[in-house]
């Protein structure tokens, strides 16, 4: 094959093709800056939306906040609650009660929030509420996220139902959200992987921490209703 003649390939380029291949005229500087600002604004809005959806916590922090990592992971873990999937049936890291009040739901809910906002150092210690976030509060429901000193995340859910006679019933549930504290990177993922692993929540003062918390919270709410 080496003896065969090689004909060089030639290409004819038309004037129109040359015009198409030439670099486009750049837009005015003002248009470029406006487009950049618009893209940055859109990205900022998207980031804010994702952060809000992923972490609904930090709605109203009472006292010092937990670490930045716990703040970032707390809303995610509270949304999925892997520690409560099986824990609610075992009862060693969760507890629920129903409380009857002569006051209407809105008044009891307000008393609950007031009790948490005005929590004393002694009550905070007894409840083991190092950090406290009132994530949602309304006449119908209340959701509170609490962290221990080592930043184990527990959740308090309360729903209020009118009894039709001027009073109401508060269904209270407080539970651990996961085996690992939210101060550990990837805690929501780790806790989801170990959702089947049973664990208890003993109280430093004896008994189970969630039961003791319910007892004290009931007294705090009753005290605020009388005030």
């Amino acid at each position: 094959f080496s003896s065969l003649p090689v004909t060089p390939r030639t290409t004819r380029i038309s004037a129109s093709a040359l015009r198409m291949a030439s670099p486009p005229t750049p837009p005015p500087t003002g248009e470029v800056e406006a487009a950049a600002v618009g893209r940055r604004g859109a990205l900022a809005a998207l980031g804010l939306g994702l952060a809000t959806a992923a972490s609904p916590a930090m709605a109203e922090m009472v006292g010092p906040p937990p670490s930045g990592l716990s703040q970032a992971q707390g809303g995610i873990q509270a949304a999925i609650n892997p520690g409560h999937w099986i824990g609610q049936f075992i009862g060693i890291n969760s507890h629920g009660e129903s409380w009857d009040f002569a006051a209407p739901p809105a008044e009891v809910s307000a008393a609950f929030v007031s009790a948490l906002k005005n929590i004393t150092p002694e009550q905070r210690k007894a409840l083991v509420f190092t950090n406290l976030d009132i994530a949602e509060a309304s006449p119908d429901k209340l959701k509170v996220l609490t962290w221990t000193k080592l930043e184990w995340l527990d959740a308090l859910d309360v729903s209020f139902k009118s009894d039709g006679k001027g009073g109401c019933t508060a269904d209270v549930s407080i539970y651990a959200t996961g085996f690992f504290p939210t101060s550990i990177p990837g805690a929501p993922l780790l806790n989801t992987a170990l959702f089947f692993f049973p664990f208890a929540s003993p109280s430093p003062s004896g008994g189970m921490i969630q039961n003791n918390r319910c007892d004290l919270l009931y007294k705090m709410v009753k005290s605020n209703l009388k005030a």
Side-chain angles (χ1 to χ4, degrees), residues 99-104 108 160 163 166-170 218 221-222 225:
W99 304 338
D100 293 323
F101 297 98
V108 177
F160 304 97
D163 62 5
C168 73
T169 298
Y218 178 72
V221 175
K222 291 284 287 187
L225 282 172

Side-chain angles (χ1 to χ4, degrees), residues 6-7 35 81 189 193 224:
V6 178
T7 304
N81 286 325
L189 182 60
N224 271 264

Side-chain angles (χ1 to χ4, degrees), residues 50-100:
L50 290 175
T52 303
S55 184
M58 311 300 121
E60 188 169 358
M61 184 63 64
V62 179
S67 66
L69 183 58
S70 280
Q71 292 184 47
Q73 298 189 132
I76 299 173
Q77 182 157 306
I80 55 179
N81 286 325
H84 194 48
W85 295 350
I86 294 180
Q88 61 184 312
F89 302 110
I90 300 176
I92 56 177
N93 61 18
S94 65
H95 184 65
E97 294 182 359
S98 292
W99 304 338
D100 293 323

Side-chain angles (χ1 to χ4, degrees), residues 81 84 93-95 143 153-155 157 173-177 210:
N81 286 325
H84 194 48
N93 61 18
S94 65
H95 184 65
K143 187 173 188 66
L153 174 62
D154 293 345
D157 293 337
S173 177
I174 186 165
Y175 51 89
T177 63
Q210 314 299 15

